[in-house]
Amino acid sequence: SSTLNSRTPIALPPFSSLAGCVEVSAPDKQRSLSLTMSKRKGLSFDEKKAVLLTAMQSEAVFYTLKELETLGKNKGVIPQAVKEVVEALNADGDVQNDRVGSQ
């Protein structure tokens, strides 16, 4: 049985893979735990447009806004941004937007 003390070396993975891990430190024989928060970078607006456009083009079907919000959420685009992204894609002429069943 091996025991760890403050001088026992520990092999750690690269820093980039430590996001969301628990850091253990033992200064002066007091052990404390601190949770490191994940600093995940969100997608830029152009990246969101590219991701949604690629997802929509993978299937030749019609989508409702609610379906696009679900699709975007699965691809890493927050649902609150989907409407704005779809409007931008429509303005660029990449997609067409139309109401169905209304007069």
Side-chain angles (χ1 to χ4, degrees), residues 74-90:
N74 293 338
K75 300 292 181 181
V77 179
I78 60 171
Q80 295 86 347
V82 169
K83 184 176 180 180
E84 185 179 349
V85 171
V86 170
E87 288 173 354
L89 288 170
N90 189 25

Side-chain angles (χ1 to χ4, degrees), residues 61-98:
V61 296
F62 297 100
Y63 294 95
T64 64
L65 183 58
K66 186 167 181 85
E67 292 170 337
L68 287 174
E69 288 173 348
T70 303
L71 180 67
K73 184 177 179 183
N74 293 338
K75 300 292 181 181
V77 179
I78 60 171
Q80 295 86 347
V82 169
K83 184 176 180 180
E84 185 179 349
V85 171
V86 170
E87 288 173 354
L89 288 170
N90 189 25
D92 293 345
D94 294 328
V95 297
Q96 293 179 352
N97 186 9
D98 202 0

